[in-house]
Amino acid sequence: MRVRIGIDVGGTFTDAVAINNDTFELIGYLKIPTTHTGKEGVAGGIVMAIQKIMEKYSISPEEVMFIAHGTTQATNALLEGDVAKVGIVGAGVGGEALKAKADTVIGNIELAKNKFLYTESEYVDLGKPDYEQLIKDAVRNLLNKEVKVIVASGAFSVDDPSGEMAVVDECLRQNLSATGSHEISKLYGLKIRTRTAAINASILPKMIETANMTESSIRKAGITKPLMIMRCDGGVMDVQEVKKRPVLTMLSGPAAGVAGALMYEKISNGIFLEVGGTSTDISVIRDGQVMIKYAEVGGHKTYVNSLDVHTVGIAGGSMVRIDSKKVVDVGPRSAHIANLTYACYADPDDIADPEPFFFAPKPGDPEDYAAIKCSNGKKFTITISCAANYLGYISPDHYSYGNTQSAEKGLRVFADRLGITVAELARQIMDKASKKNEVVLNELIDIYKLEKKYTALVGGGGGAASIVPHLAETMGMECRIAKNAEVISPIGVALAMVRDMVERTVLNPTDEDILSIKREAYNAAINSGAQPDSVEVNVEVDASRNLVRAIATGTTELRTKDLMSQAKSEKEIKEQVAKQLEISPDKVTTLANTGKLYIMEGKIVTKGFLGLLKKTKSPIRVVDEEGVVRLQKPFGMVTKIRLDKFRKDLEQAISDSTRYTDGGEEIPDLFLIYGKQIRSLSGLISSSQVVSLASAELEGLGDHVMDIFALTCSK
């Protein structure tokens, strides 16, 4: 048996899972307390979790094909101010000195209340003949100010990093940790790039120490596969890359759950809610890709790409606030904070002669949080999970399943007090909770232009069933709880793809610029541990910001089996598409079939004004052989592409879908579809760019690729 091991470090528990590498089925999992206060910190718990799961499921070192962990260490270090003092050597030449000097002085960054990242700055004019001596002087001055690590940050160093490297080389000669800002980001914007590099440098010493210890322990255990670490954008990278760019692990906790949902649930368009005991992390998946944004630290923008995660203080353990007339609020305090057991997880016999009492979980909190005290001296609190269990939203196979009788006994105390039924009280609790999540979901649906009707709510985390089914019911959306939801995060770590990203600021990028950035991303993914033949690269061009972004993903080894693959017939897939679109199967047409993917079009006729005018919509769905919707668009045109004439065919397909407005021509979004592959060439600004990237995608395809289709979708 070949095994993948994934570990996720949470605030309370460190979870470890073992996954069958061939079937991707869960072999087993375990939870141990996170070792925040141990001698080795959280690394000690990671090592312990690896040892225990290998012992528990009799896994030999030779059977481990992949091992990775997610960590909160970078995030915690920044939140707690446990960071090194950073020295910044700004660099420039001649006339650019004034602005470059100002942009590389970033001062002290407040990470949390009364917690700071302290920086000191020096500046070197690289245009002066004695610049090497000036670098030595700058480093010495910073050392005298007790800095522990140095950042070299130069104007236009993303184009020519030689000045930054001269500073780094001098630091290495003095056995001093140092990094160049060009290693962290390829974007212009010296101040933000310097700030990002300084944040990275501040956690560098601690993260290197942890990485070395963890890696050493894995080697001692006989595991030879490289240790991978979770990134904040949902991918993993080799531990050697972590030692250079630890800032990329910041905020990686929520990313692990989404990675698991993407692999286990194969979501096309959806909103993923990872529900714990205290809070819910909400993120968006569109066209099979998780949405990302630039992370902020201490209210300051960085060039770190992380999931666009919205955290809401509502979860399975959220306690209920009740006054003399109604449910006032739900959360944000949880039962864990109050150190009380949920009523629904109590033995019914323990809830003896219950009476209501109200309390403030923390000093300064409202004194109306509801709990019960029993004649046997035991106390329990009322939570969302109590209401959800009573109302039947939680099934026996869900992690948050409790005792309905216990939930009813706890809720009745307050229902009688308010003069309403237990069901009415439970509904009030669920409705209050859902409204808080609804605000965030509606905002995300609007931002990412999702069609609510065709967007699934997917729940992960131990408290998923306590929150998501009722929320989906309220919003009229599809809902499902992820398989093995309670350990979806470590599963996400175990199944995560290697991911790397290259961003560059390029004014009017040429075809060669785009291809060059694509090659750079491809090589970066390989350097992070991906197998070359598995790497896929998507390129995005943001003309409004002169930004070109290439995202490369790949696996650490070539996979020969699909996850739980169960092929469906074309008829079954048509029926599934028809059900989603709420039309009859005879209104669904197969436009193309690659043998592994079906491109289908539906016909939806709606009545117009006074029922006289009719409007026809033709939504497109690209569905794999398992019936999973891999891509969905409101409309589109399919063109068969011949390899020997692909330029001509592609140019014609683009021309047929190009729109002309007052602002000029609008190039359509384009997807190349062949075999099991969907290659996005969307967001480009000229047909020549699309054709050049398509050429790079199709280069090397052999005669075994029989059918290639272009799906063009007008913006």
Side-chain angles (χ1 to χ4, degrees), residues 156-385:
F156 307 107
S157 62
V158 295
D159 299 322
D160 179 10
S162 59
E164 288 188 359
M165 293 312 301
V167 175
V168 171
D169 289 343
E170 175 58 31
C171 292
L172 294 178
R173 281 193 287 271
Q174 298 191 36
N175 294 318
L176 182 64
S177 293
T179 185
S181 72
H182 73 280
E183 298 178 90
I184 309 303
S185 173
K186 303 294 184 183
L187 293 179
Y188 294 146
L190 183 56
K191 196 169 193 70
I192 298 177
R193 181 156 38 88
T194 302
R195 182 188 301 132
T196 307
I199 292 168
N200 182 75
S202 73
I203 58 177
L204 201 58
K206 182 172 288 291
M207 292 293 286
I208 288 176
E209 180 183 350
T210 299
N212 284 339
M213 190 198 117
T214 309
E215 188 179 30
S216 172
S217 298
I218 287 172
R219 296 293 166 259
K220 288 177 182 176
I223 298 172
T224 59
K225 292 295 181 181
L227 173 64
M228 310 297 287
I229 313 294
M230 197 77 195
R231 292 166 53 118
C232 54
D233 58 6
V236 290
M237 60 181 177
D238 186 278
V239 69
Q240 302 308 320
E241 283 297 305
V242 174
K243 293 176 183 178
K244 299 176 186 176
R245 299 182 289 170
V247 71
L248 296 185
T249 69
M250 180 180 67
L251 306 174
S252 64
V258 179
L262 279 170
M263 292 297 294
Y264 249 32
E265 301 299 320
K266 292 191 174 180
I267 305 165
S268 173
N269 281 16
I271 298 177
F272 179 70
L273 300 96
E274 185 162 13
V275 186
T278 302
S279 62
T280 297
D281 291 327
I282 305 174
S283 47
V284 171
I285 297 165
R286 189 179 67 188
D287 294 341
Q289 300 290 322
V290 63
M291 297 295 98
I292 61 174
K293 68 172 185 177
Y294 292 127
E296 292 188 359
V297 174
H300 298 288
K301 181 180 175 183
T302 72
Y303 280 152
V304 175
N305 283 286
S306 71
L307 266 65
D308 185 6
V309 177
H310 294 243
T311 301
V312 181
I314 287 291
S318 295
M319 293 188 295
V320 182
R321 293 175 54 204
I322 300 175
D323 64 13
S324 60
K325 297 179 180 179
K326 63 183 183 303
V327 174
V328 176
D329 201 359
V330 178
R333 296 301 189 195
S334 69
H336 310 283
I337 295 292
N339 198 28
L340 288 173
T341 299
Y342 308 16
C344 61
Y345 299 139
D347 186 305
D349 292 336
D350 284 340
I351 304 181
D353 306 315
E355 294 182 359
F357 81 93
F358 299 90
F359 69 106
K362 293 285 185 182
D365 286 346
E367 296 182 353
D368 56 3
Y369 281 88
I372 55 175
K373 53 186 176 182
C374 305
S375 57
N376 54 15
K378 295 185 177 182
K379 297 178 181 180
F380 306 99
T381 189
I382 306 301
T383 67
I384 294 175
S385 292

Side-chain angles (χ1 to χ4, degrees), residues 597-658:
L597 294 170
Y598 295 89
I599 307 175
M600 293 186 169
E601 180 183 65
K603 290 292 182 186
I604 303 175
V605 180
T606 55
K607 293 181 180 180
F609 182 66
L610 298 178
L612 300 176
L613 301 175
K614 292 184 177 180
K615 187 175 181 180
T616 302
K617 296 180 180 179
S618 303
I620 297 289
R621 297 293 184 266
V622 181
V623 190
D624 67 21
E625 58 186 343
E626 297 175 56
V628 177
V629 176
R630 298 277 302 280
L631 185 68
Q632 54 188 40
K633 293 294 176 184
F635 50 81
M637 181 184 297
V638 176
T639 305
K640 188 167 183 177
I641 303 295
R642 295 160 296 180
L643 269 176
D644 58 336
K645 296 181 179 178
F646 84 89
R647 284 185 175 273
K648 181 179 178 181
D649 290 348
L650 204 54
E651 286 170 354
Q652 186 62 51
I654 294 168
S655 176
D656 290 343
S657 296
T658 296

